[in-house]
Amino acid sequence: MSFDTLRQTPGDQAKIHSPDPTETALIILTSGSTGLPKGVMQSHRALVAMTASLLGHACKASANDVLMNWLPRDHVGAMAFVFMGAVILQASQVHADVGYVLAQPERWLQLVDTEKVSITWSPNFAYELLARAARATSTRYNLASLRAIFNGGEAVNEHALLSSVRDLEQHGLNPEAMIPAFGMSETCAGISRGRLGHTIGAFTSLGQPIAGSRFRIVDDNNQVLTEGEIGNIHVESPQLFTRYFGQHEQPPCW
């Protein structure tokens, strides 16, 4: 049912909440890889900012797009980027179970072909599985509809990814559609966008921050470092979370 249809529904069935932009829209768990998982409180403003910058500005996405997710639906990439992003854009969305794709990765190729998926995402490890399926199948799938495939959620290995892209190219994938990215629950999904071919050793550059966001790398005394030095990432963005669930302090910003 469309938003217009809902607005035209009479009586109590048409109650539409108009939230303050800073109100919490979602509570998404952190990965827990560096400590106990925490509930990340993301506002309506952050979701709209992510959709406008990452989907709207970076991907030129619109209601004509088809977004696909097959990772756990409580992941920020699934819940914020695909599900809520598509709702805000009023675009179509496709969801598949993790086990459905992992049991037979060729199904990912089939879904993209059948549903004419234009925007999707996966962590780095998945592309090797997809490339293996692309090599092994005797069926020719059409992946030409894919305009943006985000690679995020773990370290991006440049060499492995380039090899995977070459196999997927045999099914019509435009290699420029593969987008290495950085993001986390606290940044409401992706907040930087890179491109293949920009390497840092064995890894690829995750690119520049998307529109509306800023990064800087600092030492432990918050002094800005020069290019190539290892330090801490400072982020300024409307996509930043308000606070962790159960905590009253807002996260620091520069």
Side-chain angles (χ1 to χ4, degrees):
M1 184 179 293
S2 69
F3 289 132
D4 288 338
T5 302
L6 284 173
R7 291 190 178 99
Q8 293 168 10
T9 304
D12 293 340
Q13 300 177 54
K15 290 181 179 178
I16 299 175
H17 177 60
S18 298
D20 183 281
T22 61
E23 283 184 34
T24 299
L26 295 173
I27 300 178
I28 309 171
L29 289 177
T30 60
S31 65
S33 58
T34 57
L36 289 175
K38 297 183 286 292
V40 176
M41 301 177 71
Q42 282 292 8
S43 66
H44 295 271
R45 178 177 61 189
L47 285 165
V48 171
M50 179 278 296
T51 303
S53 296
L54 188 60
L55 284 167
H57 185 270
C59 296
K60 310 301 182 192
S62 71
N64 297 320
D65 278 296
V66 179
L67 283 69
M68 185 176 79
N69 169 73
W70 61 274
L71 279 300
R73 291 171 180 80
D74 58 354
H75 191 286
V76 66
M79 178 60 71
F81 177 61
V82 174
F83 180 69
M84 293 305 301
V87 168
I88 293 170
L89 290 168
Q90 299 187 46
S92 299
Q93 52 185 295
V94 176
H95 292 269
D97 287 334
V98 178
Y100 177 78
V101 174
L102 289 182
Q104 191 175 331
E106 186 177 336
R107 289 169 173 162
W108 184 94
L109 307 175
Q110 185 178 31
L111 281 169
V112 172
D113 186 344
T114 303
E115 303 297 332
K116 304 306 177 192
V117 174
S118 52
I119 300 172
T120 188
W121 81 283
S122 291
N124 191 79
F125 82 89
Y127 294 107
E128 185 176 350
L129 299 178
L130 300 177
R132 193 179 304 153
R135 289 195 303 271
T137 183
S138 58
T139 303
R140 290 292 104 184
Y141 294 102
N142 184 1
L143 306 182
S145 62
L146 276 173
R147 209 171 67 250
I149 314 178
F150 284 87
N151 183 334
E154 63 182 9
V156 180
N157 184 291
E158 174 86 3
H159 303 310
L161 194 55
L162 284 170
S163 175
S164 298
V165 168
R166 282 193 288 270
D167 289 313
L168 294 171
E169 274 188 273
Q170 304 307 309
H171 294 268
L173 176 72
N174 179 354
E176 293 184 1
M178 185 66 71
I179 303 171
F182 165 74
M184 52 201 305
S185 297
E186 289 88 341
T187 62
C188 198
I191 199 169
S192 80
R193 170 192 168 117
R195 60 191 179 94
L196 288 181
H198 288 227
T199 59
I200 304 174
F203 300 98
T204 188
S205 169
L206 298 182
Q208 298 293 317
I210 60 177
S213 300
R214 294 195 298 162
F215 295 164
R216 70 179 184 183
I217 311 299
V218 300
D219 61 20
D220 291 337
N221 296 315
N222 291 331
Q223 298 302 305
V224 177
L225 298 174
T226 59
E227 185 173 353
E229 293 185 290
I230 297 175
N232 305 307
I233 301 176
H234 279 189
V235 178
E236 184 179 62
S237 173
Q239 295 180 210
L240 285 181
F241 70 124
T242 55
R243 63 182 186 277
Y244 291 115
F245 181 78
Q247 298 182 9
H248 299 291
E249 294 183 0
Q250 290 186 335
C253 60
W254 99 71

